[in-house]
């Protein structure tokens, strides 16, 4: 299933150059993450988490996407049009003017199935961070407030509390591997872009198959599904 891009949104041109867009930083793996691939790296130390409130969220299997007031892109800054992005283009068009200039919302575009098939999503776009004009990732509580204002569903929260490595490791259940890719941990405080690699890390299930750029060459894809009545207030 594909959707036609609304005519009104085809005329929207990014007002800022690619150089002014910001590529989402790579997230290092936690020491106990089994899904490390050849080009991945582990976090150097967990010192940034010790003694601090942390947020652990479900790692969704979709396309990392950044939304600005004046444009949007996937992890690649020169993202081209693809039918799997049409729904999100419409959703972005309905909320983009509520975003402050040079701010961005980052989240997962889940319209198309990658390695995991979702049948009960709260939305086809789940947000996980908001960045201000100074390239600082907002603290989690402020992030959730912005999501509520913008009508964005957040990624599911699995843990909210003081860092406890044992408790966080216990979040993963092998029986859930067909439903989730893993989880992501971040400090609850704001995060400067330069500190991202020390303050955010991920756990990825063993054997997870990453979809690569060749996936985009195929315009035929399986669509995920939202749960009944989900997204009724969102763009359709």
């Amino acid at each position: 299933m594909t959707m036609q891009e609304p005519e009104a949104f085809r005329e929207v041109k990014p007002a800022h150059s690619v150089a002014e867009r910001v590529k989402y930083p790579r997230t290092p793996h936690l020491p106990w993450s089994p899904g490390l691939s050849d080009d991945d790296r582990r976090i150097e130390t967990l010192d940034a988490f010790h003694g601090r409130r942390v947020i652990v969220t479900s790692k969704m299997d979709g396309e990392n996407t950044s939304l600005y007031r004046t444009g949007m892109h996937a992890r690649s800054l020169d993202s081209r049009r693809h039918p799997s992005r049409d729904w999100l283009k419409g959703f972005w068009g309905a909320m983009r003017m509520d975003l402050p200039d040079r701010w961005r919302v980052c989240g997962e575009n889940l319209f198309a199935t990658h390695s995991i098939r979702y049948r009960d999503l709260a939305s086809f776009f789940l947000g996980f961070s908001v960045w201000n004009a100074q390239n600082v990732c907002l603290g989690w509580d402020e992030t959730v407030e912005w999501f509520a204002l913008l009508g964005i569903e957040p990624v599911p929260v699995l843990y909210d509390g003081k860092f406890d490595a044992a408790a966080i490791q216990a979040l993963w259940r092998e029986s859930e591997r067909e439903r989730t890719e893993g989880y992501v941990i971040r400090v609850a405080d704001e995060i400067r872009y330069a500190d991202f690699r020390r303050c955010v890390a991920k756990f990825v299930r063993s054997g997870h198959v990453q979809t690569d750029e060749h996936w985009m060459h195929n315009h035929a894809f399986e669509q995920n599904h939202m749960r009944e009545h989900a997204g009724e207030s969102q763009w359709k």
Side-chain angles (χ1 to χ4, degrees):
M1 173 182 176
T2 59
M3 301 176 66
Q4 292 295 317
E5 185 177 13
E7 192 69 32
F9 302 142
R10 292 177 188 165
E11 303 305 316
V12 176
K13 303 296 183 182
H16 55 302
S17 68
V18 171
E20 291 177 298
R21 297 187 180 191
V22 182
K23 187 173 183 178
Y24 193 82
R26 295 184 65 180
T27 305
H29 283 254
L30 287 160
W32 55 85
S33 172
L36 191 76
S37 61
D38 293 340
D39 61 344
D40 284 333
R41 64 184 62 179
R42 293 194 189 277
I43 193 167
E44 295 178 359
T45 174
L46 298 177
D47 288 352
F49 301 122
H50 288 301
R52 300 175 70 181
R53 177 189 171 205
V54 299
I55 307 296
V56 181
T57 57
S58 181
K59 189 175 190 314
M60 307 301 293
D61 183 33
E63 182 178 45
N64 183 300
T65 305
S66 297
L67 310 179
Y68 305 75
R69 188 177 205 175
T70 53
M72 55 180 280
H73 62 80
R75 185 174 288 276
S76 172
L77 299 185
D78 58 351
S79 306
R80 63 184 184 279
R81 185 187 177 279
H82 188 272
S84 66
R85 296 168 177 161
D86 288 352
W87 182 92
L88 184 54
K89 187 73 174 289
F91 177 73
W92 162 79
M95 52 73 74
R96 66 185 185 88
M97 294 307 294
D98 291 326
L99 269 173
D101 189 38
R102 300 178 68 86
W103 283 45
R104 65 189 185 277
V105 170
C106 297
E108 206 78 10
N109 177 9
L110 296 159
F111 190 82
T113 300
H114 290 246
S115 297
I116 298 175
R117 183 74 178 272
Y118 296 107
R119 294 180 173 84
D120 60 348
L121 293 168
S123 171
F124 288 131
F125 181 75
L126 299 182
F128 46 73
S129 64
V130 178
W131 299 72
N132 64 23
Q134 289 70 48
N135 205 18
V136 173
C137 175
L138 303 185
W140 182 252
D141 292 340
E142 189 176 0
T143 295
V144 172
E145 290 176 1
W146 272 99
F147 285 164
L149 174 67
L150 298 169
I152 293 173
E153 292 286 342
V155 289
V157 174
L158 307 177
Y159 180 91
D160 180 345
K162 191 172 181 179
F163 178 71
D164 182 329
I168 293 169
Q169 290 181 60
L171 293 172
W172 175 253
R173 293 180 174 84
E174 198 62 26
S175 61
E176 294 292 308
R177 63 177 292 108
E178 299 305 317
R179 294 175 52 84
T180 180
E181 181 182 337
Y183 54 79
V184 178
I185 179 175
R186 58 160 289 175
V187 296
D189 299 326
E190 66 178 30
I191 305 169
R192 296 185 307 165
Y193 190 84
D195 294 331
F196 185 91
R197 62 188 178 88
R198 292 185 288 272
C199 297
V200 183
K202 63 185 177 182
F203 170 96
V204 177
R205 63 181 184 169
S206 61
H208 179 70
V209 178
Q210 295 279 1
T211 50
D212 58 23
E213 61 183 8
H214 300 294
W215 180 88
M216 299 301 295
H217 297 164
N218 183 9
H219 279 225
F221 59 88
E222 294 290 329
Q223 180 187 326
N224 288 316
H225 297 281
M226 284 193 273
R227 68 176 68 110
E228 188 177 2
H229 304 307
E232 290 184 343
S233 63
Q234 297 182 332
W235 181 87
K236 286 182 168 52

